[in-house]
Amino acid sequence: MKLQTLDVLIVGAGAAGMMCAIEAGKRGRRVRVIDHARAPGEKIRISGGGRCNFTNTGIHPAAYLGENSRFALSALKRFTQHDFIKMVERHRIAYHEKTLGQLFCDDSAKDIIKMLTDEMARAGVTLSLNLGVKSLSHDGSLYTVDLDDGSRVQATSVVIATGAKSIPKMGATGWAYDVAKQFGLRVTDTRPGLVPLTFEPTLLESLKPLAGVSLDAVVRHKVPKDADPKRPAKPTEFREGMLFTHRGLSGPSILQISSYWREGEAITVDMAPDKDVAALLLEAKNENGKQMVHTALGHIVPRRLAEVLCERAGLKGKLAEQGDKKLRLLAESANAWSVKPVGSEGYRTAEVTVGGVDTMQLDQQTMEAKTVAGLFFIGEAVDITGWLGGYNFQWAWSSGWACGQHC
Ligand code: FDA
């Protein structure tokens, strides 16, 4: 059997694994990265609509979820968004800010992948693709890793950078969790995050005409009183675009709230932010009572939405024919629509997995398992999840960088 001796074996050539490899290689460690995919950084390639939203200028602690989300701070502070931006600028990659501090490549996400593979090559890192792990064991000082091609690697450090379960079609696996469990580490509950939410058939039927309608919305989620005491009780809200789909709701505000939402819970949607719909309808009734209700509401929210809201409220005819109470209820359905999604589109379309390897078991400076010397977990495999908008890549860069200083 072919045997290779290394300092560091990194499993997963994604954002976190490649950043870690660069840093460990720069320290003179003998590093090899393996990945079962055909190419490195496949999620980078498809991210941000092909332009990769590689970080956010406003990285802040509240943008991260996890049972102990403050775990992320150490790495985020030591390798910041500004450090990554400098790296991008050093490689002369043109970029721009789209909105809310989100930085995207001007040309292609492939520029980021090339930057990382170039840096890995410069740091003397070996990259092997189409290669997975058969088994992994530890004898107290060395890790022995049997690979799919029949060869064996022995290394003092093994870094698990295999991401999580989102988009299984792209080779995403829960393998990091299996490794964690093999070595007696806890994995928190996992679920799809940054994912569209779905409705039950009857509700879907009544909202059918709205498929394709997009609008500015404030989406809120309040943790119910009887929820798990570990969950932050603070209401969470996002103001961004929202889209009605054939299955439910999508768009940035919904993807954001989906990471906080759990099955059986309601969300509240304000589809006319900054507008007091009740006051506007009552004013319209006073000024021009002959106006049809849906027409008046159609001046405040998109016309198709106005029609559906009137239909659902059973309001037909002129404004003057409606009691104020009914108009107030109609307004509430626009300003504070409380709705219970039945589920989400799942890992098939989720951008991230919420949950992962328990951060209480990892050292926040190094990402090493506290009870298993030489075993490291980085990136999405760990129970740290960022908001939409470049926060997840920044966690991958920062945790990979931190690990690369020690592994
Ligand atoms: P990542 O998943 O990138 O890499 C893991 C690697 O391990 C993969 O190459 C995989 O092939 C390999 N692997 C898995 N199991 C293995 C096994 N058993 N053996 C060998 N190799 C294995 N974030 C952001 O900040 N800005 C954005 O614009 C986007 N956009 C976006 C779009 C879409 C469609 C998705 C799905 C996700 C995003 N994200 C994002 C999230 C971002 O992609 C994600 O947080 C990072 O890629 C996580 O980086 P990791 O390196 O941890 O895992």
Side-chain angles (χ1 to χ4, degrees), residues 258-300:
S258 73
S259 299
Y260 293 84
W261 173 84
R262 308 267 173 106
E263 252 173 58
E265 295 174 357
I267 56 172
T268 309
V269 186
D270 182 351
M271 295 182 281
D274 307 329
K275 290 179 190 159
D276 181 342
V277 178
L280 290 169
L281 285 179
L282 294 173
E283 202 180 295
K285 182 179 166 183
N286 277 338
E287 283 173 7
N288 179 9
K290 285 187 193 148
Q291 202 179 172
M292 301 297 281
V293 196
H294 68 263
T295 310
L297 187 58
H299 292 312
I300 308 168

Short mmCIF file of all heavy atoms in Angstrom, two decimals, residues 258-300:
data_model
loop_
_atom_site.label_atom_id
_atom_site.label_comp_id
_atom_site.label_asym_id
_atom_site.label_seq_id
_atom_site.Cartn_x
_atom_site.Cartn_y
_atom_site.Cartn_z
N SER A 258 -35.53 32.55 7.57
CA SER A 258 -35.64 31.08 7.60
C SER A 258 -34.60 30.44 8.53
O SER A 258 -34.82 29.37 9.07
CB SER A 258 -35.46 30.50 6.19
OG SER A 258 -34.11 30.60 5.78
N SER A 259 -33.46 31.12 8.72
CA SER A 259 -32.42 30.54 9.58
C SER A 259 -32.84 30.59 11.06
O SER A 259 -32.29 29.86 11.88
CB SER A 259 -31.10 31.29 9.41
OG SER A 259 -30.65 31.19 8.08
N TYR A 260 -33.79 31.46 11.39
CA TYR A 260 -34.26 31.58 12.77
C TYR A 260 -35.54 30.79 13.00
O TYR A 260 -35.86 30.41 14.11
CB TYR A 260 -34.54 33.06 13.10
CG TYR A 260 -33.28 33.91 13.11
CD1 TYR A 260 -32.76 34.44 11.95
CD2 TYR A 260 -32.61 34.15 14.31
CE1 TYR A 260 -31.60 35.20 11.96
CE2 TYR A 260 -31.45 34.91 14.33
CZ TYR A 260 -30.95 35.43 13.15
OH TYR A 260 -29.80 36.18 13.17
N TRP A 261 -36.32 30.60 11.93
CA TRP A 261 -37.64 30.00 12.02
C TRP A 261 -37.56 28.48 12.26
O TRP A 261 -36.65 27.82 11.77
CB TRP A 261 -38.39 30.28 10.70
CG TRP A 261 -39.70 29.59 10.57
CD1 TRP A 261 -40.89 30.01 11.06
CD2 TRP A 261 -39.95 28.34 9.91
NE1 TRP A 261 -41.88 29.10 10.74
CE2 TRP A 261 -41.32 28.07 10.04
CE3 TRP A 261 -39.15 27.41 9.22
CZ2 TRP A 261 -41.92 26.93 9.51
CZ3 TRP A 261 -39.73 26.27 8.69
CH2 TRP A 261 -41.10 26.05 8.84
N ARG A 262 -38.49 27.95 13.04
CA ARG A 262 -38.59 26.48 13.23
C ARG A 262 -39.99 26.03 12.88
O ARG A 262 -40.96 26.80 13.03
CB ARG A 262 -38.32 26.09 14.69
CG ARG A 262 -37.05 26.63 15.27
CD ARG A 262 -35.89 25.67 15.13
NE ARG A 262 -34.67 26.33 15.58
CZ ARG A 262 -34.05 26.07 16.72
NH1 ARG A 262 -34.53 25.17 17.54
NH2 ARG A 262 -32.94 26.70 17.04
N GLU A 263 -40.12 24.78 12.48
CA GLU A 263 -41.44 24.24 12.08
C GLU A 263 -42.50 24.51 13.14
O GLU A 263 -42.23 24.36 14.33
CB GLU A 263 -41.33 22.75 11.81
CG GLU A 263 -41.42 22.47 10.32
CD GLU A 263 -41.16 21.04 9.95
OE1 GLU A 263 -41.88 20.17 10.45
OE2 GLU A 263 -40.21 20.82 9.17
N GLY A 264 -43.69 24.90 12.70
CA GLY A 264 -44.80 25.15 13.63
C GLY A 264 -44.88 26.61 14.07
O GLY A 264 -45.85 27.00 14.71
N GLU A 265 -43.86 27.41 13.74
CA GLU A 265 -43.85 28.82 14.18
C GLU A 265 -44.37 29.74 13.07
O GLU A 265 -44.32 29.39 11.89
CB GLU A 265 -42.43 29.23 14.57
CG GLU A 265 -41.93 28.47 15.79
CD GLU A 265 -40.47 28.74 16.14
OE1 GLU A 265 -39.80 29.50 15.40
OE2 GLU A 265 -40.01 28.19 17.14
N ALA A 266 -44.84 30.92 13.51
CA ALA A 266 -45.36 31.90 12.54
C ALA A 266 -44.30 32.97 12.27
O ALA A 266 -43.39 33.18 13.07
CB ALA A 266 -46.61 32.55 13.10
N ILE A 267 -44.43 33.61 11.12
CA ILE A 267 -43.65 34.82 10.85
C ILE A 267 -44.65 35.95 10.58
O ILE A 267 -45.81 35.68 10.24
CB ILE A 267 -42.69 34.67 9.64
CG1 ILE A 267 -43.46 34.25 8.38
CG2 ILE A 267 -41.58 33.68 9.95
CD1 ILE A 267 -42.61 34.28 7.10
N THR A 268 -44.22 37.18 10.78
CA THR A 268 -45.10 38.32 10.49
C THR A 268 -44.46 39.13 9.37
O THR A 268 -43.26 39.40 9.41
CB THR A 268 -45.26 39.21 11.74
OG1 THR A 268 -45.63 38.38 12.82
CG2 THR A 268 -46.33 40.26 11.54
N VAL A 269 -45.28 39.48 8.40
CA VAL A 269 -44.74 40.18 7.23
C VAL A 269 -45.43 41.52 7.06
O VAL A 269 -46.66 41.60 7.01
CB VAL A 269 -44.95 39.34 5.94
CG1 VAL A 269 -44.26 40.00 4.76
CG2 VAL A 269 -44.45 37.91 6.12
N ASP A 270 -44.63 42.58 6.98
CA ASP A 270 -45.16 43.91 6.67
C ASP A 270 -44.87 44.16 5.18
O ASP A 270 -43.72 44.35 4.79
CB ASP A 270 -44.47 44.97 7.55
CG ASP A 270 -45.02 46.36 7.30
OD1 ASP A 270 -45.80 46.53 6.34
OD2 ASP A 270 -44.66 47.28 8.06
N MET A 271 -45.94 44.13 4.38
CA MET A 271 -45.75 44.25 2.93
C MET A 271 -45.87 45.70 2.46
O MET A 271 -45.85 45.97 1.26
CB MET A 271 -46.76 43.35 2.21
CG MET A 271 -46.47 41.87 2.52
SD MET A 271 -47.58 40.75 1.67
CE MET A 271 -49.04 40.85 2.68
N ALA A 272 -46.02 46.61 3.40
CA ALA A 272 -46.03 48.04 3.06
C ALA A 272 -45.23 48.80 4.12
O ALA A 272 -45.80 49.62 4.86
CB ALA A 272 -47.46 48.54 2.98
N PRO A 273 -43.92 48.51 4.22
CA PRO A 273 -43.15 49.15 5.29
C PRO A 273 -43.20 50.67 5.15
O PRO A 273 -43.27 51.19 4.03
CB PRO A 273 -41.72 48.64 5.06
CG PRO A 273 -41.78 47.59 4.02
CD PRO A 273 -43.09 47.70 3.31
N ASP A 274 -43.13 51.36 6.25
CA ASP A 274 -43.18 52.83 6.30
C ASP A 274 -44.55 53.40 5.94
O ASP A 274 -44.71 54.62 5.83
CB ASP A 274 -42.13 53.50 5.38
CG ASP A 274 -40.74 53.00 5.63
OD1 ASP A 274 -40.45 52.64 6.78
OD2 ASP A 274 -39.94 52.94 4.67
N LYS A 275 -45.53 52.53 5.68
CA LYS A 275 -46.85 53.06 5.33
C LYS A 275 -47.87 52.56 6.33
O LYS A 275 -47.91 51.36 6.63
CB LYS A 275 -47.26 52.60 3.93
CG LYS A 275 -46.45 53.26 2.83
CD LYS A 275 -46.89 52.73 1.49
CE LYS A 275 -45.94 53.18 0.39
NZ LYS A 275 -46.03 52.34 -0.80
N ASP A 276 -48.70 53.49 6.84
CA ASP A 276 -49.78 53.09 7.74
C ASP A 276 -51.00 52.85 6.86
O ASP A 276 -51.74 53.78 6.50
CB ASP A 276 -50.02 54.24 8.75
CG ASP A 276 -51.12 53.91 9.74
OD1 ASP A 276 -51.92 52.99 9.46
OD2 ASP A 276 -51.18 54.58 10.79
N VAL A 277 -51.18 51.58 6.47
CA VAL A 277 -52.20 51.25 5.46
C VAL A 277 -53.61 51.61 5.96
O VAL A 277 -54.42 52.13 5.20
CB VAL A 277 -52.10 49.76 5.05
CG1 VAL A 277 -53.18 49.39 4.04
CG2 VAL A 277 -50.72 49.46 4.46
N ALA A 278 -53.86 51.38 7.27
CA ALA A 278 -55.20 51.69 7.80
C ALA A 278 -55.48 53.18 7.64
O ALA A 278 -56.55 53.57 7.13
CB ALA A 278 -55.27 51.30 9.27
N ALA A 279 -54.53 54.02 8.04
CA ALA A 279 -54.74 55.47 7.95
C ALA A 279 -54.95 55.88 6.49
O ALA A 279 -55.83 56.70 6.18
CB ALA A 279 -53.53 56.19 8.54
N LEU A 280 -54.17 55.29 5.59
CA LEU A 280 -54.28 55.66 4.17
C LEU A 280 -55.64 55.25 3.59
O LEU A 280 -56.25 55.99 2.82
CB LEU A 280 -53.14 55.02 3.37
CG LEU A 280 -51.74 55.59 3.64
CD1 LEU A 280 -50.66 54.73 3.02
CD2 LEU A 280 -51.63 57.02 3.11
N LEU A 281 -56.14 54.05 3.99
CA LEU A 281 -57.44 53.60 3.48
C LEU A 281 -58.58 54.46 4.02
O LEU A 281 -59.50 54.83 3.29
CB LEU A 281 -57.67 52.12 3.85
CG LEU A 281 -56.88 51.08 3.06
CD1 LEU A 281 -57.20 49.68 3.56
CD2 LEU A 281 -57.18 51.16 1.56
N LEU A 282 -58.49 54.81 5.32
CA LEU A 282 -59.57 55.62 5.92
C LEU A 282 -59.58 57.03 5.31
O LEU A 282 -60.63 57.61 5.05
CB LEU A 282 -59.41 55.68 7.44
CG LEU A 282 -59.63 54.32 8.14
CD1 LEU A 282 -59.30 54.39 9.63
CD2 LEU A 282 -61.06 53.82 7.94
N GLU A 283 -58.39 57.53 5.04
CA GLU A 283 -58.27 58.84 4.40
C GLU A 283 -58.89 58.79 2.99
O GLU A 283 -59.66 59.68 2.60
CB GLU A 283 -56.78 59.17 4.29
CG GLU A 283 -56.42 60.63 4.14
CD GLU A 283 -54.90 60.76 4.05
OE1 GLU A 283 -54.21 60.44 5.04
OE2 GLU A 283 -54.41 61.13 2.96
N ALA A 284 -58.57 57.70 2.27
CA ALA A 284 -59.11 57.54 0.90
C ALA A 284 -60.63 57.43 0.95
O ALA A 284 -61.34 57.97 0.09
CB ALA A 284 -58.50 56.31 0.25
N LYS A 285 -61.14 56.74 1.97
CA LYS A 285 -62.60 56.59 2.11
C LYS A 285 -63.27 57.97 2.30
O LYS A 285 -64.30 58.25 1.70
CB LYS A 285 -62.90 55.69 3.32
CG LYS A 285 -64.37 55.41 3.56
CD LYS A 285 -64.53 54.49 4.76
CE LYS A 285 -65.96 54.44 5.24
NZ LYS A 285 -66.11 53.62 6.43
N ASN A 286 -62.63 58.81 3.12
CA ASN A 286 -63.17 60.15 3.35
C ASN A 286 -63.12 61.01 2.10
O ASN A 286 -64.05 61.75 1.79
CB ASN A 286 -62.36 60.87 4.45
CG ASN A 286 -62.84 60.44 5.81
OD1 ASN A 286 -63.97 59.97 5.95
ND2 ASN A 286 -61.99 60.59 6.82
N GLU A 287 -62.01 60.90 1.39
CA GLU A 287 -61.81 61.79 0.23
C GLU A 287 -62.55 61.34 -1.01
O GLU A 287 -63.02 62.14 -1.80
CB GLU A 287 -60.31 61.90 -0.08
CG GLU A 287 -59.62 62.82 0.91
CD GLU A 287 -58.12 62.83 0.74
OE1 GLU A 287 -57.60 62.21 -0.22
OE2 GLU A 287 -57.47 63.45 1.60
N ASN A 288 -62.63 60.02 -1.23
CA ASN A 288 -63.27 59.51 -2.44
C ASN A 288 -63.89 58.15 -2.16
O ASN A 288 -63.35 57.10 -2.54
CB ASN A 288 -62.21 59.43 -3.57
CG ASN A 288 -62.77 58.90 -4.86
OD1 ASN A 288 -63.99 58.74 -4.99
ND2 ASN A 288 -61.89 58.60 -5.82
N GLY A 289 -65.00 58.14 -1.50
CA GLY A 289 -65.67 56.91 -1.08
C GLY A 289 -66.14 56.04 -2.23
O GLY A 289 -66.45 54.86 -2.05
N LYS A 290 -66.20 56.64 -3.45
CA LYS A 290 -66.69 55.86 -4.60
C LYS A 290 -65.62 54.92 -5.15
O LYS A 290 -65.90 54.03 -5.95
CB LYS A 290 -67.10 56.82 -5.73
CG LYS A 290 -68.42 57.50 -5.46
CD LYS A 290 -68.82 58.29 -6.69
CE LYS A 290 -69.96 59.23 -6.37
NZ LYS A 290 -69.89 60.45 -7.17
N GLN A 291 -64.39 55.13 -4.69
CA GLN A 291 -63.29 54.32 -5.18
C GLN A 291 -63.45 52.86 -4.72
O GLN A 291 -63.86 52.60 -3.59
CB GLN A 291 -61.97 54.89 -4.61
CG GLN A 291 -60.77 54.52 -5.40
CD GLN A 291 -59.50 55.13 -4.80
OE1 GLN A 291 -58.44 54.81 -5.23
NE2 GLN A 291 -59.62 56.01 -3.83
N MET A 292 -63.14 51.90 -5.60
CA MET A 292 -63.22 50.48 -5.23
C MET A 292 -62.13 50.19 -4.18
O MET A 292 -61.03 50.77 -4.26
CB MET A 292 -62.98 49.58 -6.44
CG MET A 292 -63.95 49.80 -7.58
SD MET A 292 -65.66 49.40 -7.11
CE MET A 292 -65.63 47.62 -7.24
N VAL A 293 -62.42 49.27 -3.26
CA VAL A 293 -61.45 48.99 -2.19
C VAL A 293 -60.12 48.51 -2.77
O VAL A 293 -59.05 48.97 -2.37
CB VAL A 293 -61.94 47.85 -1.24
CG1 VAL A 293 -61.14 47.86 0.04
CG2 VAL A 293 -63.40 47.96 -0.95
N HIS A 294 -60.19 47.55 -3.73
CA HIS A 294 -58.93 46.99 -4.25
C HIS A 294 -58.12 48.05 -5.01
O HIS A 294 -56.90 47.99 -5.05
CB HIS A 294 -59.17 45.73 -5.08
CG HIS A 294 -59.87 45.95 -6.37
ND1 HIS A 294 -61.23 45.77 -6.52
CD2 HIS A 294 -59.42 46.36 -7.57
CE1 HIS A 294 -61.57 46.04 -7.75
NE2 HIS A 294 -60.48 46.41 -8.41
N THR A 295 -58.83 49.03 -5.60
CA THR A 295 -58.11 50.10 -6.31
C THR A 295 -57.36 50.96 -5.30
O THR A 295 -56.19 51.29 -5.50
CB THR A 295 -59.10 50.98 -7.12
OG1 THR A 295 -59.92 50.12 -7.89
CG2 THR A 295 -58.37 51.95 -8.03
N ALA A 296 -58.07 51.31 -4.21
CA ALA A 296 -57.42 52.14 -3.18
C ALA A 296 -56.21 51.42 -2.59
O ALA A 296 -55.12 52.00 -2.46
CB ALA A 296 -58.43 52.47 -2.08
N LEU A 297 -56.39 50.13 -2.29
CA LEU A 297 -55.27 49.37 -1.71
C LEU A 297 -54.15 49.20 -2.74
O LEU A 297 -52.96 49.19 -2.41
CB LEU A 297 -55.77 48.00 -1.22
CG LEU A 297 -54.77 47.15 -0.45
CD1 LEU A 297 -54.24 47.87 0.79
CD2 LEU A 297 -55.39 45.80 -0.03
N GLY A 298 -54.55 49.12 -4.02
CA GLY A 298 -53.59 48.97 -5.12
C GLY A 298 -52.69 50.19 -5.29
O GLY A 298 -51.66 50.11 -5.99
N HIS A 299 -53.07 51.34 -4.68
CA HIS A 299 -52.19 52.52 -4.70
C HIS A 299 -51.11 52.40 -3.63
O HIS A 299 -50.15 53.16 -3.63
CB HIS A 299 -52.99 53.81 -4.47
CG HIS A 299 -53.92 54.14 -5.61
ND1 HIS A 299 -53.52 54.12 -6.93
CD2 HIS A 299 -55.23 54.47 -5.63
CE1 HIS A 299 -54.52 54.45 -7.70
NE2 HIS A 299 -55.59 54.65 -6.94
N ILE A 300 -51.29 51.45 -2.71
CA ILE A 300 -50.36 51.33 -1.56
C ILE A 300 -49.44 50.11 -1.72
O ILE A 300 -48.26 50.17 -1.43
CB ILE A 300 -51.16 51.22 -0.23
CG1 ILE A 300 -52.18 52.36 -0.13
CG2 ILE A 300 -50.21 51.22 0.97
CD1 ILE A 300 -53.21 52.19 0.97
#
